[in-house]
Amino acid sequence: MKRLFSTLAIAGIMAFGTVSANNYAATASMATTTVATVTQDENSATAETEELGFHQELKKRFIEGGPGFMGIVLLCLILGLAIAIERIIYLNLSTTNTKKLVQNVEDALQSGGIEAAKEVCRNTKGPVASIYYQGLDRADEDLDAAEKAVIAYGGVQMGQLEKNVSWISLFIALAPMLGFMGTVIGMIQAFDKIEAAGDMQPSLVAGGIKVALLTTVFGLIVAIILQVFYNYIIAKIDSIVNDMEDASITLMDMLVRYKR
């Protein structure tokens, strides 16, 4: 009997150990699955945060900067971009194939005279064609009158090319200045909080300083964007003006040959 009870006891212990081992393995497997799920969720959250991208972060920072100075800085950007886009469209439409125009005017002078050359200029867009028309319109008087007309109308066309460009330079200077002003005002408010609390605690001034610095950052961003457009516009104007000057000299040479 003792041997029978001993055998049953040993069998019971082994069975209990097997069940405990199985339960431990199942628990470990569940724990591993839970950790993997949590890790996957964290990775998904990180990926979602990364997918928000630059625009969402920019929007968040803009809202944190406050509606006061940030709204004025945004207005500078909108107005500056509107003027820049209008100027770029106008300058691209004002660009003329000067070599082709000169050749057509010279051929018209040789075949049909002044009126034929004026008709070519009327059918061609751009400031160069307008200058040619003014010079040809006074070619019947004398060369001095034609030259004065070319110079005078060239100045008029240059003014048209540079119209409203000074506003872009104003917004380039104004945007960072407004940002700096917002920073100074934010710093003053932060020191007012320190004075009112009577204690120098980072939590009192951290938010105000962050808001103040955001205005400067956005002011600089606006100035950089507008500066790129401004430099392109100035380069385009210089290119058109050089073509106008070179074409004017060529026109006077053609008129001299035609008068002979």
Side-chain angles (χ1 to χ4, degrees), residues 97-144:
N97 189 343
T98 307
K99 292 182 179 179
K100 183 178 179 180
L101 175 63
V102 170
Q103 186 63 45
N104 291 338
V105 170
E106 188 170 7
D107 293 341
L109 274 175
Q110 298 299 326
S111 59
I114 298 293
E115 291 301 322
K118 288 168 65 176
E119 185 64 26
V120 171
C121 295
R122 273 194 294 265
N123 295 328
T124 306
K125 296 181 179 179
V128 178
S130 299
I131 292 172
Y132 267 40
Y133 183 86
Q134 296 297 323
L136 291 169
D137 193 41
R138 289 165 177 78
D140 291 335
E141 301 175 12
D142 54 42
L143 293 179
D144 289 337

Side-chain angles (χ1 to χ4, degrees), residues 24-25 53 64 70 89 106 117 120 165 220 228 236 243:
Y24 176 78
E64 290 178 351
M70 298 297 278
I89 294 174
E106 188 170 7
V120 171
V165 175
L220 292 174
V228 173
K236 192 73 174 176
D243 287 343

Side-chain angles (χ1 to χ4, degrees), residues 113-255:
I114 298 293
E115 291 301 322
K118 288 168 65 176
E119 185 64 26
V120 171
C121 295
R122 273 194 294 265
N123 295 328
T124 306
K125 296 181 179 179
V128 178
S130 299
I131 292 172
Y132 267 40
Y133 183 86
Q134 296 297 323
L136 291 169
D137 193 41
R138 289 165 177 78
D140 291 335
E141 301 175 12
D142 54 42
L143 293 179
D144 289 337
E147 184 177 2
K148 290 179 181 179
V150 167
I151 294 174
Y153 205 71
V156 173
Q157 289 297 317
M158 189 180 300
Q160 291 293 326
L161 295 175
E162 295 176 350
K163 184 180 179 181
N164 293 330
V165 175
S166 59
W167 286 103
I168 302 177
S169 61
L170 172 64
F171 293 134
I172 291 173
L174 192 60
M177 291 171 64
L178 289 171
F180 292 145
M181 183 180 293
T183 299
V184 172
I185 292 176
M187 296 294 288
I188 292 173
Q189 292 174 351
F191 283 112
D192 286 340
K193 291 180 180 179
I194 295 174
E195 183 180 7
D199 187 14
M200 181 64 180
Q201 296 180 2
S203 60
L204 290 174
V205 296
I209 293 175
K210 182 179 75 171
V211 171
L213 293 176
L214 283 173
T215 59
T216 299
V217 170
F218 276 89
L220 292 174
I221 291 174
V222 170
I224 291 170
I225 294 173
L226 294 180
Q227 186 68 52
V228 173
F229 282 94
Y230 179 78
N231 285 357
Y232 173 80
I233 291 171
I234 293 299
K236 192 73 174 176
I237 291 174
D238 290 341
S239 176
I240 295 175
V241 169
N242 289 334
D243 287 343
M244 288 166 52
E245 293 176 350
D246 186 55
S248 299
I249 295 173
T250 305
L251 173 64
M252 298 310 301
D253 292 338
M254 283 191 296
L255 290 177

